[in-house]
């Protein structure tokens, strides 16, 4: 890591508020959560910006610069997190991508015809993009481009029952990688238009209309749809994905203010309490911070919470602070609720029959950083869990290196 070349020019850097102003603003905007999330105002609040910010999928230039500065200063926890990433197989410059024309993924990736290869190649492209940004070693940017070009040259479809989820997982990482390379790499990406066509024709149609499966499916699909829409400068699909996302978040995390039972997604026809209880894994006692999949297991819950935080980060970069709406409050409560039991608090008998299946995963850094570090909200359980598991690595699906990218990042 030489750190000597001149960084690429800053694009669309946003003006940042001091932390104390951000905290005060959060307190004020929290008062208008009900207005922002009301049906009449939702489209306006969530609409795509007049001009998209690039790079602008989960991370922007200021956040990338902060990460790079911390690593090059050998500061912790970023240096250890960087070493973890650069020492992983995902950062290997000898990696050979394994693209397929048709990726076939059944339930739990059985059958698995290209499922693991696609997800891991997408994470590798993102890993190489981060490595490029930090080191300015063009070999990493070249490797990221090689991987993206390999897939854009051949893939035509995703099939079988897990196709929507698989597309969401891979699409989330592709969008993050492509944004960094296209808008910060000083060399040439000849096939960037072909890659964009791949995202538009192969990925977006599979995910943009959502899913009536467990909530983590639709949340991950909307994460990918939002990210891809930013990369494509596609305001129409951005707005559609964001509207679906807002409805699903409200139906995924329960707040006592929702009433006696959780909110629902209209297309799912969960029109009785019995149907809602069944969909919520048999849980009939609803408590603030509970998610639709808490009583299934914390692993899948973590997928959902991760995608919520990723969309909130992208939306903030694009000009709408979802942390100041019900999305922020739901995420805060869900992170705290799950973290408490992940840390070992005794599970009451009215929660999942007194037993939960832990394993939240490396998913807390972005939400914790946004809500606690940037906005000054106390999150004791989430903080304890987040700091005790650093550095966060990857779940080998769509989450990767978030201690490196998000820990104490003020931007």
């Amino acid at each position: 890591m030489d750190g000597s070349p001149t960084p690429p020019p800053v694009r669309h850097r946003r003006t940042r508020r001091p932390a104390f102003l951000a905290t005060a603003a959060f307190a004020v905007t929290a008062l208008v959560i009900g207005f922002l999330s009301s049906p009449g105002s939702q489209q306006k609040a969530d609409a795509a910006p007049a001009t998209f910010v690039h790079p602008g999928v989960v991370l922007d230039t200021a956040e990338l610069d902060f990460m790079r500065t911390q690593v090059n200063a050998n500061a912790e926890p970023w240096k250890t997190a960087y070493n973890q990433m650069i020492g992983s197989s995902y950062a290997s410059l000898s990696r050979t991508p394994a693209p397929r024309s048709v990726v076939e993924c059944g339930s739990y990736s059985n059958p698995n015809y290209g499922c693991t290869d696609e997800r891991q190649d997408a994470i590798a492209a993102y890993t190489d993009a981060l490595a490029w940004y930090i080191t300015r070693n063009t070999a990493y940017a070249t490797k990221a481009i090689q991987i993206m070009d390999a897939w854009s040259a051949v893939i035509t479809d995703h099939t079988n029952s897990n196709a929507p989820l698989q597309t969401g997982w891979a699409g989330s990482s592709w969008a993050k990688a492509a944004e960094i390379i296209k808008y910060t790499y000083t060399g040439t990406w000849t096939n960037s238009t072909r890659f964009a066509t791949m995202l538009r024709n192969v990925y977006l149609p599979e995910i943009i209309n959502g899913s009536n499966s467990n909530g983590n499916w639709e949340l991950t699909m909307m994460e990918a749809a939002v990210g891809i829409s930013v990369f494509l400068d596609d305001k129409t699909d951005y707005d559609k994905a964001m509207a679906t996302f807002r409805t699903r978040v409200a139906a995924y995390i329960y707040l006592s203010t929702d009433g006696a039972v959780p909110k629902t997604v209209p297309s799912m026809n969960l029109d009785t309490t019995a149907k809602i209880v069944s969909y919520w894994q048999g849980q009939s006692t609803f408590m603030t911070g509970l998610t639709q999949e808490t009583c299934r297991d914390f692993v899948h819950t973590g997928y959902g919470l991760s995608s919520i935080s990723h969309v909130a980060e992208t939306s903030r970069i694009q000009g709408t602070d979802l942390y100041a709406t019900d999305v922020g409050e739901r995420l805060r409560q869900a992170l705290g609720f799950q973290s408490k039991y992940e840390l070992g608090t005794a599970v009451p008998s009215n929660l999942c029959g007194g037993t939960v299946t832990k394993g939240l995963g490396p998913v807390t850094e972005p939400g914790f950083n946004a809500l606690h570090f940037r906005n000054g909200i106390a999150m004791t359980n989430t903080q304890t869990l987040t700091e005790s598991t650093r550095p966060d690595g990857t779940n080998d699906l769509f989450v990767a290196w978030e201690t490196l990218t998000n820990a104490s990042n003020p931007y």
Side-chain angles (χ1 to χ4, degrees), residues 182-246:
K182 182 175 181 179
Y183 292 101
T184 74
Y185 178 47
T186 52
T188 301
W189 182 11
T190 304
N191 293 313
S192 63
T193 300
R194 189 179 74 192
F195 188 81
T197 300
M198 176 196 80
L199 292 180
R200 181 175 296 285
N201 294 341
V202 179
Y203 286 78
L204 204 51
E206 188 69 47
I207 56 180
I208 192 61
N209 292 317
S211 167
N212 286 332
S213 185
N214 281 299
N216 81 86
W217 275 52
E218 189 161 84
L219 291 167
T220 300
M221 291 162 67
M222 291 310 104
E223 175 188 344
V226 166
I228 289 169
S229 296
V230 171
F231 183 72
L232 297 176
D233 290 305
D234 184 337
K235 297 180 183 180
T236 299
D237 283 323
Y238 182 94
D239 288 350
K240 182 175 182 178
M242 194 63 74
T244 300
F245 170 78
R246 289 295 297 273

Side-chain angles (χ1 to χ4, degrees), residues 205-371:
E206 188 69 47
I207 56 180
I208 192 61
N209 292 317
S211 167
N212 286 332
S213 185
N214 281 299
N216 81 86
W217 275 52
E218 189 161 84
L219 291 167
T220 300
M221 291 162 67
M222 291 310 104
E223 175 188 344
V226 166
I228 289 169
S229 296
V230 171
F231 183 72
L232 297 176
D233 290 305
D234 184 337
K235 297 180 183 180
T236 299
D237 283 323
Y238 182 94
D239 288 350
K240 182 175 182 178
M242 194 63 74
T244 300
F245 170 78
R246 289 295 297 273
T247 299
R248 177 59 71 174
V249 173
Y252 192 69
I253 301 170
Y254 177 77
L255 299 178
S256 61
T257 52
D258 293 337
V261 295
K263 293 179 180 294
T264 63
V265 174
S267 62
M268 297 187 69
N269 298 312
L270 299 175
D271 52 6
T272 68
T273 299
K275 289 181 181 179
I276 293 171
V277 169
S278 177
Y279 184 59
W280 281 62
Q281 321 297 325
Q283 177 70 12
S284 58
T285 301
F286 300 104
M287 50 199 78
T288 291
L290 182 77
T291 80
Q292 181 258 314
E293 296 185 273
T294 297
C295 294
R296 179 187 185 188
D297 57 58
F298 281 16
V299 173
H300 289 88
T301 296
Y303 300 165
L305 299 185
S306 179
S307 287
I308 292 170
S309 68
H310 292 164
V311 174
E313 287 296 290
T314 298
S315 177
R316 186 180 62 89
I317 293 168
Q318 301 305 330
T320 298
D321 186 5
L322 291 179
Y323 293 111
T325 73
D326 72 300
V327 172
E329 179 63 8
R330 291 179 193 278
L331 181 61
R332 178 177 78 89
Q333 295 290 353
L335 285 172
F337 188 89
Q338 265 63 220
S339 293
K340 176 173 65 175
Y341 296 112
E342 185 79 11
L343 289 166
T345 295
V347 181
S349 60
N350 66 347
L351 174 61
C352 311
T355 302
V356 295
T357 302
K358 297 189 289 186
L360 195 59
V363 302
T364 62
E365 289 277 18
F368 172 69
N369 183 66
L371 293 163

Side-chain angles (χ1 to χ4, degrees), residues 12-315:
H12 303 291
R13 184 185 294 275
R14 291 170 289 138
T15 301
R16 305 290 183 161
R17 295 176 294 178
F20 73 89
L21 289 179
T23 303
F26 188 93
V28 172
T29 52
L31 297 175
V32 296
I33 283 176
F35 171 75
L36 286 173
S37 42
S38 66
S41 62
Q42 180 170 304
Q43 180 60 34
K44 181 178 179 181
D46 298 344
T51 302
F52 283 105
V53 175
H54 298 292
V57 177
V58 183
L59 299 167
D60 69 356
T61 304
E63 291 169 291
L64 290 166
D65 283 346
F66 174 81
M67 170 193 71
R68 180 174 188 250
T69 297
Q70 298 306 105
V71 172
N72 287 334
N74 293 317
E76 295 293 356
W78 304 275
K79 183 63 175 180
T80 297
Y82 169 78
N83 289 340
Q84 175 193 44
M85 181 190 79
I86 211 68
S88 75
S89 62
Y90 290 108
S92 172
L93 291 174
S94 62
R95 183 182 191 88
T96 300
R100 279 177 174 262
S101 175
V102 177
V103 174
E104 181 179 355
C105 307
S107 180
Y108 292 92
S109 295
N110 183 22
N112 183 339
Y113 299 131
C115 314
T116 300
D117 289 337
E118 181 187 31
R119 295 193 303 265
Q120 294 191 357
D121 277 349
I123 291 174
Y126 175 56
T127 300
D128 290 326
L130 290 175
W132 141 253
Y133 200 91
I134 293 168
T135 66
R136 296 302 194 267
N137 181 345
T138 59
Y140 287 112
T142 301
K143 177 57 69 172
I145 289 170
Q146 179 198 17
I147 295 169
M148 291 189 285
D149 282 355
W151 280 89
S152 70
V154 302
I155 189 168
T156 62
D157 200 8
H158 296 86
T159 64
N160 215 318
S161 60
N162 259 33
L165 182 60
Q166 171 72 20
T167 307
W169 280 336
S172 297
S173 296
W174 288 136
K176 290 186 292 186
E179 276 285 296
I180 294 172
I181 294 299
K182 182 175 181 179
Y183 292 101
T184 74
Y185 178 47
T186 52
T188 301
W189 182 11
T190 304
N191 293 313
S192 63
T193 300
R194 189 179 74 192
F195 188 81
T197 300
M198 176 196 80
L199 292 180
R200 181 175 296 285
N201 294 341
V202 179
Y203 286 78
L204 204 51
E206 188 69 47
I207 56 180
I208 192 61
N209 292 317
S211 167
N212 286 332
S213 185
N214 281 299
N216 81 86
W217 275 52
E218 189 161 84
L219 291 167
T220 300
M221 291 162 67
M222 291 310 104
E223 175 188 344
V226 166
I228 289 169
S229 296
V230 171
F231 183 72
L232 297 176
D233 290 305
D234 184 337
K235 297 180 183 180
T236 299
D237 283 323
Y238 182 94
D239 288 350
K240 182 175 182 178
M242 194 63 74
T244 300
F245 170 78
R246 289 295 297 273
T247 299
R248 177 59 71 174
V249 173
Y252 192 69
I253 301 170
Y254 177 77
L255 299 178
S256 61
T257 52
D258 293 337
V261 295
K263 293 179 180 294
T264 63
V265 174
S267 62
M268 297 187 69
N269 298 312
L270 299 175
D271 52 6
T272 68
T273 299
K275 289 181 181 179
I276 293 171
V277 169
S278 177
Y279 184 59
W280 281 62
Q281 321 297 325
Q283 177 70 12
S284 58
T285 301
F286 300 104
M287 50 199 78
T288 291
L290 182 77
T291 80
Q292 181 258 314
E293 296 185 273
T294 297
C295 294
R296 179 187 185 188
D297 57 58
F298 281 16
V299 173
H300 289 88
T301 296
Y303 300 165
L305 299 185
S306 179
S307 287
I308 292 170
S309 68
H310 292 164
V311 174
E313 287 296 290
T314 298
S315 177

